[in-house]
Amino acid sequence: FPGRPVVVVGHSMGGRTACRVADDPSVLGVVGLAPWLPEREPVDALAGRALHVIHGTRDRWTSAALSREFVERAQSVATEATWTALPGVGHFMFRRVKVWNRFVEDSVERIWAQETEGKQ
């Protein structure tokens, strides 16, 4: 759908990829689900975009602490950047599936609402 605004949602490496492609003109924001965000991962692509991340506190594949640090750095360039802990949950989205799904739905709705408000 060329010319249509996009919210990119990604899990793990897909979350990192979503953050990297956020500077595409069609992207309004990113929703990261336990994203793999290594130390010093650049945040510049999120300038002027929204970022919402959720991460399980028992994740052994990707670092919840590093994703939180990434979000904190992104706050200096993003329109908003939030980090949500999912206590006791690991990397794979098999536990508390409804919470993961609701987070995506709420985040996408919030990003779309900001876009709509900005055009009024």
Side-chain angles (χ1 to χ4, degrees), residues 68-87:
R68 185 176 189 160
E69 185 269 334
F70 178 86
V71 169
E72 289 170 354
R73 286 188 298 112
Q75 289 171 346
S76 67
V77 299
T79 56
E80 72 172 340
T82 66
W83 188 85
T84 301
L86 197 47

Side-chain angles (χ1 to χ4, degrees), residues 41-119:
E41 181 72 10
V43 298
D44 301 344
L46 290 158
R49 275 95 174 150
L51 171 65
H52 299 285
V53 171
I54 188 168
H55 213 125
T57 60
R58 296 188 68 198
D59 192 328
R60 300 294 176 250
W61 287 73
T62 61
S63 170
L66 287 176
S67 78
R68 185 176 189 160
E69 185 269 334
F70 178 86
V71 169
E72 289 170 354
R73 286 188 298 112
Q75 289 171 346
S76 67
V77 299
T79 56
E80 72 172 340
T82 66
W83 188 85
T84 301
L86 197 47
V89 174
H91 185 70
F92 302 102
M93 299 180 293
F94 299 134
R95 298 197 193 286
R96 305 197 50 205
V97 172
K98 289 181 182 179
V99 174
W100 291 100
N101 289 341
R102 174 54 56 194
F103 182 83
V104 171
E105 292 168 4
D106 291 347
S107 297
V108 170
E109 286 176 12
R110 182 173 176 157
I111 293 167
W112 277 104
Q114 289 174 340
E115 171 70 6
T116 303
E117 290 171 10
K119 290 186 174 183

